[in-house]
């Protein structure tokens, strides 16, 4: 069974950097796309981007291109989502997720528990 | 403005059937079967309910069904139950490996 375990909640100030993680187990991490989804408080789901760890190939939604960086470390089967300079509008819940079939970019059959990011001065 | 349009809310009484629509005006949506639906209860991670328009993952009740005609996809919940009260999101492949979500529909069981 595929499991995605995300890092814990974060409280940051505007302008700070942040890297949150998502550790995968139960699948061949290198050959499964793994993605990130944002949910701002009281709002809907937003598809942010995905990475194919074997080639470090990334795809970003135009809304998030240049705003975040998605990366992965195959040696520890972990994907990351990072910000270089947080804004208050980055506050939200962030989910990692992965499809059930290797080489498919979606849909997401398996989800992490979410990481709450709060950015406030 | 989401690329996929859903009604903000749908309601029904226990035992009834309801249908949630999802409209997408781009080529990948109408020409391919890359439409999926997620259910999300408050404070929980989303759960995949339907994929490839009408396929159910293992463990999902057969009360949930999906269909698509042209640029509109639909999720139907039959025999509505209290536990079905949740937010529902459609999603579709927009372009090469990039997906998009609809704005979400709140389902209320009266």
């Amino acid at each position: 069974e595929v499991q995605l375990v995300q890092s814990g909640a974060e409280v940051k100030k505007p302008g700070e950097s942040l890297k949150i993680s998502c550790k995968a187990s139960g699948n061949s991490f290198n050959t499964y796309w793994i993605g990130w989804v944002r949910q701002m408080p009281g709002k809907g789901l937003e598809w942010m981007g995905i990475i194919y760890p074997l080639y470090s190939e990334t795809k970003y939604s135009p809304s998030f291109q240049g705003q975040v960086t998605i990366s992965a470390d195959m040696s520890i089967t972990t994907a990351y989502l990072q910000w270089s300079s947080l804004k208050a509008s980055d506050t939200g819940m962030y989910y990692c997720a992965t499809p059930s079939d290797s080489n498919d970019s979606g849909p997401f059959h398996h989800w992490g528990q979410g990481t709450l990011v709060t950015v406030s001065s | 403005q989401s690329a996929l349009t859903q009604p903000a809310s749908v309601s029904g009484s226990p035992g009834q059937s309801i249908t949630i629509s999802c409209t997408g005006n781009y080529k990948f949506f109408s020409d391919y079967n890359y439409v999926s639906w997620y259910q999300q209860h408050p404070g929980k991670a989303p759960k995949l309910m339907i994929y490839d328009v009408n396929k159910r993952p293992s463990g999902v009740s057969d009360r949930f069904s999906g269909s698509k005609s042209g640029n509109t996809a639909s999720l139907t919940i039959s025999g509505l139950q209290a536990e079905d009260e949740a937010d529902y999101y459609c999603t579709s492949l927009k372009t090469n490996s990039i997906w998009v979500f609809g704005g979400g529909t709140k389902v209320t069981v009266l």
Side-chain angles (χ1 to χ4, degrees), chain B residues 75-105:
Chain B
L75 173 70
T76 297
I77 309 175
S78 305
L80 197 62
Q81 299 180 1
E83 68 205 48
D84 301 331
E85 187 162 291
D87 294 323
Y88 291 83
Y89 297 90
C90 63
T91 186
S92 177
L93 187 64
K94 182 105 188 284
T95 183
N96 183 23
S97 299
I98 295 176
W99 294 67
V100 63
F101 284 102
T105 298

Side-chain angles (χ1 to χ4, degrees), chain B residues 57-79:
Chain B
S58 175
V60 172
S61 171
D62 60 5
R63 297 187 299 104
F64 292 84
S65 61
S67 63
K68 185 167 76 75
S69 177
N71 67 345
T72 299
S74 299
L75 173 70
T76 297
I77 309 175
S78 305

